[in-house]
Amino acid sequence: MSEALFSRAAGGRHEARSAGTTPADRVHPEVVEAMNELGIDLGGRQPRKLSRADAEWADVVVTMGCGDECPYIPGKRYLDWELADPKGQSVEAVRATRDEIERRVRALVEELDAGDEYSRVAAKPRF
């Protein structure tokens, strides 16, 4: 959700990647449904395993509760967004998480835009 919402909000002005410490085999159906409501199709997406290269690539690393499992790169800016894992949640709960991610993503994009430079963001959810 975070990468898709960031990419949409950034409109090509910044890049995003998303990876997880323990990625699922597929995007959770509840997530696909909630994102389809916004016109974003995640049905064909494959969750990726987090790599050190993702953190090295990014200017800003957004973590979502992965703690010590996330690689630490000195000098990188880290943001930790504590959010509920959508796995096994109702679509209503996933919508709430989606909406909170979207709110935070928009604020981050506004901040990056104010810096007037191209940025790369790696989002690392624990889910």
Side-chain angles (χ1 to χ4, degrees), residues 28-71:
H28 300 299
E30 304 84 7
V31 171
V32 172
E33 182 177 340
M35 294 299 284
N36 277 337
E37 294 171 357
L38 299 181
I40 299 172
D41 182 10
L42 297 183
R45 297 268 181 107
Q46 179 68 40
R48 294 184 324 107
K49 176 77 173 154
L50 172 65
S51 73
R52 183 174 180 86
D54 291 318
E56 290 171 346
W57 169 86
D59 298 310
V60 179
V61 179
V62 177
T63 62
M64 298 179 187
C66 62
D68 292 339
E69 293 183 57
C70 286

Side-chain angles (χ1 to χ4, degrees), residues 1-4 16-20 46-49 54 121-125:
M1 287 191 288
S2 55
E3 178 183 353
R17 290 183 188 171
S18 182
Q46 179 68 40
R48 294 184 324 107
K49 176 77 173 154
D54 291 318
V121 176
K124 295 170 177 41

Side-chain angles (χ1 to χ4, degrees), residues 55-108:
E56 290 171 346
W57 169 86
D59 298 310
V60 179
V61 179
V62 177
T63 62
M64 298 179 187
C66 62
D68 292 339
E69 293 183 57
C70 286
Y72 176 75
I73 310 296
K76 294 288 179 180
R77 177 180 173 204
Y78 282 81
L79 300 173
D80 187 40
W81 294 352
E82 287 292 327
L83 296 162
D85 184 341
K87 181 180 180 182
Q89 298 293 322
S90 68
V91 174
E92 292 77 19
V94 173
R95 281 186 195 116
T97 300
R98 174 202 67 197
D99 293 347
E100 181 59 19
I101 292 171
E102 186 170 35
R103 185 190 68 75
R104 293 179 191 201
V105 158
R106 285 184 180 178
L108 178 56

